């Protein structure tokens, strides 16, 4: 097996760390924009196996990356559970928000999600058949907490006040919702694995907005349950967790034995992470995506700093969050050259 990313997830260490980038397929690539136009809407792109395959492969044609991430979205689960979803140009996702028990009751049964998600599994097998043998193929889903914020807010939010108020005022309904997303996510990820992904990542992009002990209850525990079930079904498939924004609580997340790797955001100090996290788990991260806009010496120096700090144990190079639409292609090239050629 020559998949160095997969081997690193399993605890091997290479002189040069493997690299992939969150949101490596996306609007900073002109060929993505073209395929996206051809597809019609963003959702049409996600549910078109041929075009989803095309955009998954686009960054690999341009860059010397070690991993491919399935082109899909964390909001396909709410959509598959029956929630109306669209992506509005310049505004982002828009869903019909869940406000009460009757909205919750109207969601589809978990076993119905595949009726909608089948094209995603077709995309996985299609991508699998086209990937070079040295590329690690990553499947993914959102965490129950992060997905619930979109289901309740009905759109992206910075403070998640509606979701947290719902959680505090209607704990019985909220618990049911979290459990339902958890169960749907296990089934969704299991099908991705059967269709051919090599590893799984769970994005908890909004973990950082949960207060106090709720972080453990609604972020950590549901993700742990998902990971436990996946490990029972597929013991060999490595799992990555990304509890973005949890600060010093990263240490606790990194001790979950069910996950092989923890992705750290750009706010985390790399020396602290090396001393407190890397001893518990394989580490992934954590260049700020802004360096891919600004480029130059700063990008080179920061990249070398991250690679050197994490070089004593297993490390996968990545950003601390998704690449932005204004990232420059030449800067992505410079980043990869810096890592692979050690300039
Ligand atoms: O290349 C990849 O990383 C694979 C595909 C991928 C997308 N979204 C494609 C996408 C992945 C892994 C995601 C995850 C995702 N989606 C997250 C978790 C990671 C994170 O960024 O925190 C979240 C929170 C979402 C929800 C989501 N999807 C939002 C809030 C938005 C709108 C914001 C935006 O960037 O426009 C999306 C849209 C989206 N998902 C785009 C892409 C390429 C842009 C849509 C477009 O083409 O217009």
């Amino acid at each position: 097996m020559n998949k160095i990313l997969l081997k690193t997830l399993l605890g091997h260490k290479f002189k040069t760390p493997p690299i992939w980038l969150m949101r490596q397929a996306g609007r900073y690539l002109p060929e993505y924009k073209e395929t996206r136009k051809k597809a019609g809407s963003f959702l049409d792109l996600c549910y078109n196996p041929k075009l989803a395959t095309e955009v998954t492969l686009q960054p690999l044609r341009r860059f010397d990356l070690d991993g491919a991430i399935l082109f899909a979205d964390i909001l396909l689960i709410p959509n598959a559970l029956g929630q109306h979803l669209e992506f509005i140009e310049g505004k982002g996702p828009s869903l019909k928000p869940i406000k009460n028990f009757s909205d919750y009751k109207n969601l589809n049964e978990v076993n119905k999600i595949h009726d909608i998600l089948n094209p995603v599994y077709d995309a996985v097998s299609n991508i699998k058949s086209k990937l070079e043998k040295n590329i690690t193929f990553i499947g993914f889903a959102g965490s129950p907490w992060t997905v619930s914020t979109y289901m309740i807010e009905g759109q992206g939010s910075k403070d998640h006040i509606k979701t947290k108020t719902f959680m505090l005022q209607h704990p019985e309904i909220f618990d049911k919702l979290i459990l339902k997303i958890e169960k749907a996510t296990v089934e969704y990820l299991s099908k991705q694995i059967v269709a051919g992904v090599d590893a799984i990542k769970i994005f908890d992009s909004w973990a950082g907005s949960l207060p106090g002990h709720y972080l453990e209850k609604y972020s950590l525990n549901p993700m742990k349950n998902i990971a436990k079930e996946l490990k029972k079904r597929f013991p060999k498939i490595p799992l990555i967790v990304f509890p973005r924004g949890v600060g010093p609580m990263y240490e606790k997340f990194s001790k979950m034995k069910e996950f092989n790797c923890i992705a750290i955001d750009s706010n985390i100090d790399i020396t602290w992470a090396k001393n407190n996290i890397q001893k518990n788990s394989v580490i992934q991260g954590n260049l700020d995506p802004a360096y891919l806009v600004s480029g130059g010496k700063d990008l080179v120096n920061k990249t070398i700093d991250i690679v050197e700090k994490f070089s004593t144990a297993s490390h996968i190079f990545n950003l601390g969050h998704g690449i932005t639409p204004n990232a420059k292609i030449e800067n992505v090239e410079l980043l990869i050259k810096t890592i692979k050629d050690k300039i």
Side-chain angles (χ1 to χ4, degrees):
M1 184 177 81
N2 52 359
K3 297 185 180 189
I4 69 157
L5 201 162
L6 184 58
K7 282 188 175 169
T8 306
L9 283 169
L10 296 169
H12 293 250
K13 191 174 90 60
F14 295 90
K15 231 173 154 185
T16 302
I19 172 169
W20 70 281
L21 303 170
M22 280 190 255
R23 291 269 182 105
Q24 61 191 30
R27 286 164 296 184
Y28 73 108
L29 293 176
E31 61 270 33
Y32 169 83
K33 285 195 248 182
E34 208 167 290
T35 313
R36 162 92 158 70
K37 219 189 278 165
K38 216 194 291 175
S41 73
F42 173 70
L43 270 189
D44 289 334
L45 178 54
C46 291
Y47 291 133
N48 181 324
K50 197 162 159 256
L51 296 184
T53 300
E54 168 59 23
V55 288
T56 300
L57 299 177
Q58 281 169 351
L60 289 125
R61 290 192 195 116
R62 263 190 194 266
F63 310 119
D64 185 9
L65 295 160
D66 299 293
I69 180 155
L70 168 67
F71 191 84
D73 199 85
I74 66 162
L75 300 181
L76 300 189
I77 284 281
N79 193 219
L81 286 171
Q83 210 174 7
H84 177 78
L85 168 68
E86 55 190 310
F87 283 82
I88 299 168
E89 210 61 61
K91 193 168 166 268
S94 167
L95 305 89
K96 189 165 173 274
I98 292 186
K99 294 194 167 124
N100 49 43
F101 188 61
S102 121
D103 293 340
Y104 164 78
K105 283 294 282 179
N106 280 336
L107 293 172
N108 291 335
E109 294 294 323
V110 166
N111 61 18
K112 286 275 188 298
I113 61 170
H114 307 307
D115 298 351
I116 289 177
L117 296 171
N118 265 322
V120 178
Y121 315 138
D122 289 344
V124 171
S125 18
N126 201 14
I127 295 161
K128 178 80 177 174
S129 72
K130 298 201 159 125
L131 275 181
E132 302 280 345
K133 296 288 167 266
N134 60 333
I135 304 295
T136 301
F137 186 14
I138 302 164
F140 75 94
S143 73
W145 160 250
T146 288
V147 170
S148 83
T149 65
Y150 290 95
M151 293 179 84
I152 293 173
E153 307 279 336
Q155 58 185 22
S157 156
K158 288 210 164 73
D159 55 20
H160 308 106
I161 281 292
K162 266 199 206 170
T163 316
K164 290 191 270 185
T165 310
F166 191 98
M167 166 185 98
L168 295 167
Q169 289 184 330
H170 308 289
E172 336 69 45
I173 313 175
F174 191 70
D175 283 1
K176 284 194 169 71
L177 178 64
I178 290 287
L179 191 62
K180 182 152 195 156
I181 304 168
E182 186 185 303
K183 292 202 171 335
T185 304
V186 168
E187 299 313 320
Y188 179 47
L189 293 177
S190 294
K191 289 267 191 182
Q192 289 184 26
I193 294 169
V194 170
V197 300
D198 298 311
I200 290 289
K201 176 164 175 182
I202 300 182
F203 288 88
D204 198 359
S205 304
W206 300 115
S209 70
L210 269 168
H213 87 277
Y214 286 107
L215 184 60
E216 193 151 351
K217 183 167 183 194
Y218 290 125
S219 164
L220 188 142
N221 287 345
M223 292 199 290
K224 193 186 226 179
N225 294 341
I226 293 169
K228 253 192 195 139
E229 186 56 33
L230 290 177
K231 283 289 183 199
K232 204 164 17 153
R233 295 184 191 183
F234 310 100
K236 291 198 174 130
I237 297 289
L239 307 175
I240 309 167
V241 64
F242 180 39
R244 190 168 77 92
V246 299
M249 282 293 279
Y250 253 109
E251 195 175 353
K252 189 157 195 174
F253 281 82
S254 71
K255 287 181 178 160
M256 282 193 282
K257 292 183 304 293
E258 296 79 6
F259 285 94
N260 302 70
C261 171
I262 187 155
I264 56 170
D265 61 61
S266 311
N267 286 336
I268 298 295
D269 176 74
I270 50 179
T271 305
W272 182 84
K274 176 187 164 71
N275 295 332
N276 297 283
I277 294 193
Q278 211 181 8
K279 61 178 192 276
N280 302 326
S281 179
V282 174
I283 207 159
Q284 178 181 286
N286 73 340
L287 184 75
D288 195 305
Y291 285 98
L292 292 181
V293 185
S294 63
K297 271 211 185 90
D298 283 348
L299 166 63
V300 172
N301 292 340
K302 186 67 192 169
T303 300
I304 292 172
D305 191 23
I306 293 172
V307 170
E308 285 182 351
K309 274 280 168 9
F310 291 137
S311 65
T312 50
S314 307
H315 171 225
I316 294 161
F317 196 94
N318 205 314
L319 306 176
H321 201 196
I323 198 165
T324 54
N326 59 347
K328 295 201 183 79
I329 288 169
E330 73 219 48
N331 291 338
V332 178
E333 285 164 351
L334 177 61
L335 164 71
I336 296 172
K337 197 168 157 47
T338 304
I339 293 172
K340 304 242 160 170
D341 303 352
K342 291 256 167 49
I343 55 164

